[in-house]
Amino acid sequence: MIFDKPNARRRAAPDAFLMWIARTIEQARTARRELSSPVALVPTMGALHKGHRTLIRSVQQQADHVIVSIFVNPMQFAPHEDFDRYPRPIEDDLDVCREENVAGVFTPDVAQMYPPDVQATDVFIPEMGDLLEGALRSQFFHGVCRVVLKLFNILTPDVAVFGQKDYQQWRLIEAMADDLNLPIRILGSPTVREADGLALSSRNVYLTREKRPSALSLYKALQAARMLIQQAGETNPQAVEGAMTQLLQSHGAAVDYAVVRHPRTLAPIESIDLALTGAVVALVAARVGPVRLIDNLLIDEK
Ligand code: AMP
């Protein structure tokens, strides 16, 4: 195991626990065994921003120790996607983890997670996993579920937290933990946004200044959906979806989907009845120039 050098804050408090960095599964298991429960896991692909920091902080109240995993998972990228150019500022990421008092970071390489001689297991939930993101990115959730289950088995957390920013991913992991009786509490943490409403994302670094108004239209479309449902009392999902699509297109965004769905299963709904389902979720995915963005909003009776 590699023990990290203390940062300035820890130098001031010499007894403070040093953050470990495990690069192999064996190192991670050894380090994990030394942590007292409850332990929380925050799975990430790195390029950590304020959204990730919020995830770490939100789960610190639920656990004695937080482990962050940083792994750009090739299995969830299609060949034409941005795996090779996905940002990997590992030293900055480790600084963020130190600043957030993370107990340890697991940052394996691809060969650790996917040795060439291993037969791949398909972990998937077709009913929810084939919808929306799954319909457009056929390998995506297969890759996500497999890597998350592997991380769970390696790090055996008591709690794991996922951002509501990736709403379908969060619900899918929740369903997987439920169906497979994983002894792990799955938490969802609210989406962190810029002051203007743009959801923080590691991929925002690809956005040029000219494309920003177009990127912001995702948030505007979600706000429009909320107004229509909460204030105008719209009950027809297609009417809300049409309005979101129009707004996105009028800002030059190429729409992949703009939908209103059941908040847990993500199945289409015949009509919007907040008293019946408690809430609905509006989800949008659109391409702004070369950048693909997703966002969502849970709309309840408030
Ligand atoms: P990623 O590194 O993009 O795979 O994200 C790692 C975790 O951080 C996932 O659970 C994401 O949903 C979450 N996350 C990413 N961006 C945000 C955000 N803006 N607000 C809250 N959570 C986020």
Side-chain angles (χ1 to χ4, degrees), residues 109-277:
D109 64 17
V110 172
Q112 270 295 308
M113 294 299 276
Y114 304 111
D117 49 342
V118 167
Q119 301 245 339
T121 309
D122 190 8
V123 191
F124 192 52
I125 302 167
E127 206 172 315
M128 199 191 313
D130 278 335
L131 302 171
L132 302 173
E133 286 301 290
L136 291 155
R137 306 171 72 192
S138 63
Q139 280 314 298
F140 179 62
F141 286 129
H142 294 263
V144 167
C145 290
R146 183 174 171 211
V147 81
V148 170
L149 188 56
K150 282 165 80 76
L151 291 169
F152 284 175
N153 285 330
I154 294 163
L155 297 163
T156 64
D158 302 283
V159 184
V161 66
F162 294 84
Q164 291 178 15
K165 155 81 168 52
D166 299 283
Y167 192 90
Q168 190 176 6
Q169 169 175 282
W170 166 45
R171 290 303 196 194
L172 212 63
I173 300 296
E174 201 177 48
M176 175 179 81
D178 199 21
D179 182 45
L180 298 182
N181 307 102
L182 302 182
I184 300 168
R185 209 149 49 88
I186 306 298
L187 303 177
S189 185
T191 302
V192 179
R193 301 178 179 282
E194 302 278 11
D196 59 6
L198 182 70
L200 295 185
S201 163
S202 306
R203 288 189 169 101
N204 288 357
V205 295
Y206 303 148
L207 280 174
T208 58
R209 210 149 47 99
E210 299 75 58
K211 291 289 179 201
R212 207 181 155 88
S214 199
L216 200 53
S217 68
L218 277 81
Y219 181 64
K220 287 188 174 152
L222 296 170
Q223 292 301 319
R226 189 195 348 230
M227 297 273 280
L228 276 172
I229 294 169
Q230 285 184 341
Q231 288 177 23
E234 181 60 67
T235 58
N236 179 0
Q238 274 104 45
V240 179
E241 293 172 359
M244 287 197 293
T245 303
Q246 216 171 29
L247 196 148
L248 287 161
Q249 286 172 341
S250 72
H251 286 80
V255 181
D256 279 346
Y257 56 79
V259 295
V260 178
R261 294 291 173 99
H262 187 281
R264 191 161 281 272
T265 64
L266 297 179
I269 44 177
E270 271 177 29
S271 80
I272 297 166
D273 182 349
L274 299 179
L276 182 73
T277 56

Side-chain angles (χ1 to χ4, degrees), residues 47-65:
L48 303 181
H49 50 64
K50 250 187 331 185
H52 298 109
R53 282 186 192 263
T54 303
L55 237 53
I56 295 169
R57 287 179 198 175
S58 74
V59 86
Q60 257 154 356
Q61 293 149 14
Q62 313 278 330
D64 286 354
H65 305 284

